[in-house]
Amino acid sequence: MAARRTADGCSRPGTADVLRDGPTPKHAQLREILRELASEELLPGSPVPSERDLAVRYGVSRLTVREAVGQLVAEGLLVRVRGKGTFTTRPRVDSQLHLASFTEEMRRRGMQPETVLLDAAEAVPPTATAEALDLRPDQHAYWLCRLRKADGAPMAVERGWYHAGPLPGLLDHDLTDSMYTLLARNYEVQLENGTQTVLAEGADAETARLLGVRTGSPVLVFRRISTAQGRPIEDMTSWYRGDLYQVTMQLDRNPSGSGHHRPSRRPTRPTGRQHPARQPGLHDTGGNR
């Protein structure tokens, strides 16, 4: 039986809070108490009581508390933030994998988008990117690195390149809004098609810092090359938080085989996170704008 709780979600101290020995292990009893608290009483992103407070309140060891909380973290109901505590998770944003503006998609979902420009430069891109954008080996392109947020929460880090030919003076514009809208309004460039690869990996230290998660936390990596009228314009990679983002795909069985995709070589993973001039070998190919 769950302990008695006040309207603000806090249990009243007393003997009714202490968990009793029985057929259900104490960590399982506490897990269900915390599940109800996180699911029904606390808002997304709210802190849950500390291990010490829970241990005292329910008369169990901190090891028991840690096991109960760990199971809910594994289920995705809670999240641990180093140095801050444990919090209820936010609802995940669902992507349908279409060529869309991040800004427009977040607004459509009733969320407030925000973009922080971390770096922008004109430079010679790596060979792989030059090939993807159909550039000469010595031809310059525009490098952008941006942090995307929704309702104030870091959602994704974008790093990649834009073809400078059809986009003269791109870096002179406000780059904290939708790139798709900027390209259409100022250059009459409509990104119409894209080739995208989705990977799962652990966040490196720099990406984890920007996203506010632990190093090694799961992230979804979207690598995309986008074109306008058949001309490659964008070569971008986006790292999305695995705890706040999910992908939904429409699957149809096609006996003719026309819907099957040929296996492709996994794109080279970027090895650096700094200015493009200091990160040879970077290859970025995807993400929502």
Side-chain angles (χ1 to χ4, degrees), residues 46-58:
S46 298
V48 300
S50 67
E51 286 185 2
R52 180 181 179 279
D53 289 343
L54 290 172
V56 171
R57 180 178 299 171
Y58 295 105

Side-chain angles (χ1 to χ4, degrees), residues 70-124:
Q71 291 177 7
L72 295 179
V73 170
E75 292 179 19
L77 192 61
L78 301 178
V79 61
R80 289 189 175 108
V81 180
R82 180 178 296 177
K84 295 184 179 180
T86 304
F87 299 82
T88 56
T89 55
R90 299 172 183 264
R92 295 185 183 221
V93 173
D94 184 73
S95 172
Q96 301 293 322
L97 283 186
H98 56 286
L99 200 58
S101 160
F102 175 93
T103 301
E104 294 172 355
E105 185 160 336
M106 293 304 108
R107 286 175 178 163
R108 181 172 61 85
R109 297 176 184 281
M111 307 177 77
Q112 180 60 43
E114 179 185 352
T115 300
V116 179
L117 180 63
L118 302 175
D119 195 11
E122 182 175 357
V124 176

Side-chain angles (χ1 to χ4, degrees), residues 18-49:
V18 177
L19 302 181
R20 305 299 183 183
D21 291 323
T24 303
K26 289 184 178 180
H27 73 82
Q29 296 179 52
L30 180 57
R31 180 192 64 213
E32 295 311 308
I33 291 172
L34 295 177
R35 185 193 305 280
E36 181 182 344
L37 180 67
S39 301
E40 301 179 9
E41 301 182 28
L42 294 178
L43 294 174
S46 298
V48 300

Side-chain angles (χ1 to χ4, degrees), residues 92-100 105-106 108-109 196 198 220 222 224 240 244-250 288:
R92 295 185 183 221
V93 173
D94 184 73
S95 172
Q96 301 293 322
L97 283 186
H98 56 286
L99 200 58
E105 185 160 336
M106 293 304 108
R108 181 172 61 85
R109 297 176 184 281
Q196 180 164 270
V198 183
L220 290 173
F222 294 81
R224 175 184 290 175
Y240 278 79
L244 296 182
Y245 205 77
Q246 66 185 26
V247 176
T248 299
M249 292 171 281
Q250 177 67 41
N288 287 343

Side-chain angles (χ1 to χ4, degrees), residues 23-289:
T24 303
K26 289 184 178 180
H27 73 82
Q29 296 179 52
L30 180 57
R31 180 192 64 213
E32 295 311 308
I33 291 172
L34 295 177
R35 185 193 305 280
E36 181 182 344
L37 180 67
S39 301
E40 301 179 9
E41 301 182 28
L42 294 178
L43 294 174
S46 298
V48 300
S50 67
E51 286 185 2
R52 180 181 179 279
D53 289 343
L54 290 172
V56 171
R57 180 178 299 171
Y58 295 105
V60 296
S61 69
R62 294 183 68 167
L63 184 62
T64 297
V65 174
R66 196 169 297 126
E67 185 172 359
V69 171
Q71 291 177 7
L72 295 179
V73 170
E75 292 179 19
L77 192 61
L78 301 178
V79 61
R80 289 189 175 108
V81 180
R82 180 178 296 177
K84 295 184 179 180
T86 304
F87 299 82
T88 56
T89 55
R90 299 172 183 264
R92 295 185 183 221
V93 173
D94 184 73
S95 172
Q96 301 293 322
L97 283 186
H98 56 286
L99 200 58
S101 160
F102 175 93
T103 301
E104 294 172 355
E105 185 160 336
M106 293 304 108
R107 286 175 178 163
R108 181 172 61 85
R109 297 176 184 281
M111 307 177 77
Q112 180 60 43
E114 179 185 352
T115 300
V116 179
L117 180 63
L118 302 175
D119 195 11
E122 182 175 357
V124 176
T127 300
T129 294
E131 292 176 353
L133 294 181
D134 197 20
L135 301 174
R136 299 186 308 273
D138 60 346
Q139 191 171 351
H140 283 208
Y142 296 124
W143 156 262
L144 292 184
C145 179
R146 304 192 299 172
L147 175 65
R148 312 304 295 269
K149 299 181 179 182
D151 286 347
M155 183 73 68
V157 177
E158 298 177 348
R159 304 179 178 98
W161 300 84
Y162 287 88
H163 197 307
L167 310 174
L170 177 66
L171 302 187
D172 296 331
H173 294 281
D174 179 5
L175 303 176
T176 62
D177 206 344
S178 166
M179 288 299 296
Y180 283 11
T181 300
L182 177 101
L183 299 186
R185 182 179 60 238
N186 293 280
Y187 298 100
E188 298 184 352
V189 172
Q190 299 277 357
L191 297 184
E192 304 159 336
N193 297 286
T195 300
Q196 180 164 270
T197 300
V198 183
L199 308 173
E201 64 183 31
D204 63 27
E206 177 64 12
T207 299
R209 181 185 67 81
L210 293 170
L211 293 178
V213 299
R214 289 186 178 186
T215 300
S217 295
V219 290
L220 290 173
V221 186
F222 294 81
R223 302 172 184 262
R224 175 184 290 175
I225 299 172
S226 303
T227 63
Q229 296 183 336
R231 183 178 188 179
I233 299 294
E234 175 189 59
D235 182 4
M236 183 68 64
T237 299
S238 301
W239 287 259
Y240 278 79
R241 284 177 56 164
D243 61 332
L244 296 182
Y245 205 77
Q246 66 185 26
V247 176
T248 299
M249 292 171 281
Q250 177 67 41
L251 302 178
D252 298 301
R253 188 179 183 200
N254 189 339
S256 68
S258 60
H260 293 185
H261 297 282
R262 293 179 299 168
S264 60
R265 182 176 63 84
R266 176 178 172 132
T268 304
R269 183 181 183 276
T271 57
R273 297 294 184 270
Q274 300 177 351
H275 188 279
R278 297 190 294 273
Q279 49 180 339
L282 177 65
H283 183 207
D284 295 321
T285 56
N288 287 343
R289 306 286 72 74

